[in-house]
Amino acid sequence: MINKVVAANWKMNKTAAEAQIWASGLIESLDEIPSDVQVIVAAPAIYLRELGQKFRDQPRVKIAAQNCHHEQKGAYTGEISPSMLRSVGVDYCIIGHSERRSMFLETNELISLKVKACLEVNLTPIVCVGETLAERESGYHYGVITEQITAALTFANPEKPIIIAYEPVWAIGTGISATNEQAAEMHALILGLLAQYNFTNTPVLYGGSCNDGNAAALFSMPGISGGLVGTAALNIRSFVRITQSFS
Ligand code: PGA
């Protein structure tokens, strides 16, 4: 089981040249990254194949897509399937990021189908869950997370690995991360839900304004296996410092 994970989510950032510079920077920095930390790079689809080749001899670095379709093939213009991702060496796929839930209207039901499609081809889903500020302020954050986790696990199976990322929507890209206690409370809730479905070895990452200043405190909290990092991962030096933030 992997229990220290730092995943970079580039979102829709970096030209091909910038992607190469970042990836070369990571290879040059691998000696500085603790050997028990799994690094995952979630890049735009257009760069995945090249990145996969670049990190082919680096087992500590895995490549992730940021999204996929819920079918393996067919007449879905513009879409990319889990089996296509597998065929170019991708091991992970972010599913249900809050930006996709809110801007691309992805529902819990669709997300459950995407998880199913990923697992069919052994593409490990990194399923994002998180409440909005309004949901938290109305005390409904426990309910939202319970619904999102329950849906995500509909077609999952403890035999096949899965990663969960708790990303409070109000903390993403805002510079205001959850407090250590808020994050730990929600991770405990998620781990309890996972245990009910017999998922006992599932890493739960924290995401939402995680950076090289707050990662050490967040990662030291019980139930937090690492981070899914957006803004602070765009710079390779700050990303490397985050990988060094486990105690
Ligand atoms: P952020 O993004 O680190 O910029 O808040 C995290 C994410 O959306 O995965």
Side-chain angles (χ1 to χ4, degrees):
M1 176 211 168
I2 48 169
N3 58 10
K4 293 181 182 175
V5 183
V6 182
N9 178 9
W10 288 2
K11 309 192 181 185
M12 196 177 74
N13 290 295
K14 297 196 184 295
T15 62
E18 289 164 349
Q20 282 298 336
I21 291 170
W22 192 99
S24 298
L26 179 57
I27 288 181
E28 284 158 22
S29 312
L30 278 175
D31 288 352
E32 300 171 49
I33 297 179
S35 59
D36 57 348
V37 174
Q38 176 73 64
V39 172
I40 301 176
V41 185
I46 194 168
Y47 306 138
L48 292 173
R49 186 186 183 123
E50 209 173 331
L51 287 174
Q53 284 165 355
K54 188 142 184 146
F55 293 110
R56 197 177 33 214
D57 301 326
Q58 313 291 348
R60 279 196 289 139
V61 181
K62 298 287 185 193
I63 306 302
Q66 298 175 5
N67 178 40
C68 66
H69 196 266
H70 63 282
E71 298 285 353
Q72 304 298 355
K73 62 179 182 178
Y76 302 101
T77 302
E79 293 293 313
I80 296 175
S81 76
S83 57
M84 291 174 186
L85 294 169
R86 286 303 282 149
S87 74
V88 296
V90 176
D91 289 310
Y92 291 87
C93 186
I94 297 177
I95 299 290
H97 189 279
S98 77
E99 286 150 17
R100 298 215 56 91
R101 290 179 189 260
S102 65
M103 295 178 214
F104 301 94
L105 310 181
E106 293 198 4
T107 61
N108 278 336
E109 189 193 357
L110 178 66
I111 288 160
S112 73
L113 295 176
K114 290 188 177 197
V115 170
K116 178 170 184 263
C118 287
L119 294 175
E120 270 167 17
V121 294
N122 296 321
L123 181 65
T124 301
I126 304 173
V127 183
C128 300
V129 299
E131 80 284 357
T132 63
L133 189 57
E135 286 161 347
R136 176 167 280 267
E137 286 176 343
S138 65
Y140 192 53
H141 45 310
Y142 308 112
V144 170
I145 299 302
T146 302
E147 284 167 14
Q148 292 178 343
I149 292 286
T150 307
L153 298 181
T154 311
F155 301 109
N157 158 357
E159 305 292 306
K160 297 225 173 181
I162 177 169
I163 294 180
I164 303 292
Y166 169 61
E167 299 206 306
V169 177
W170 46 272
I172 295 177
T174 59
I176 303 165
S177 96
T179 64
N180 302 331
E181 292 71 26
Q182 285 170 326
E185 182 191 33
M186 299 309 281
H187 279 239
L189 170 72
I190 292 166
L191 286 166
L193 292 164
L194 287 165
Q196 280 176 30
Y197 294 94
N198 297 320
F199 287 78
T200 49
N201 288 322
T202 302
V204 182
L205 312 183
Y206 170 79
S209 297
C210 179
N211 58 44
D212 57 354
N214 61 22
L218 284 162
F219 296 175
S220 71
M221 298 303 284
I224 301 187
S225 292
L228 177 55
V229 188
T231 312
L234 292 174
N235 176 289
I236 187 62
R237 292 313 308 163
S238 110
F239 180 72
V240 169
R241 283 194 293 274
I242 295 170
T243 67
Q244 298 167 333
S245 300
F246 293 93
S247 40

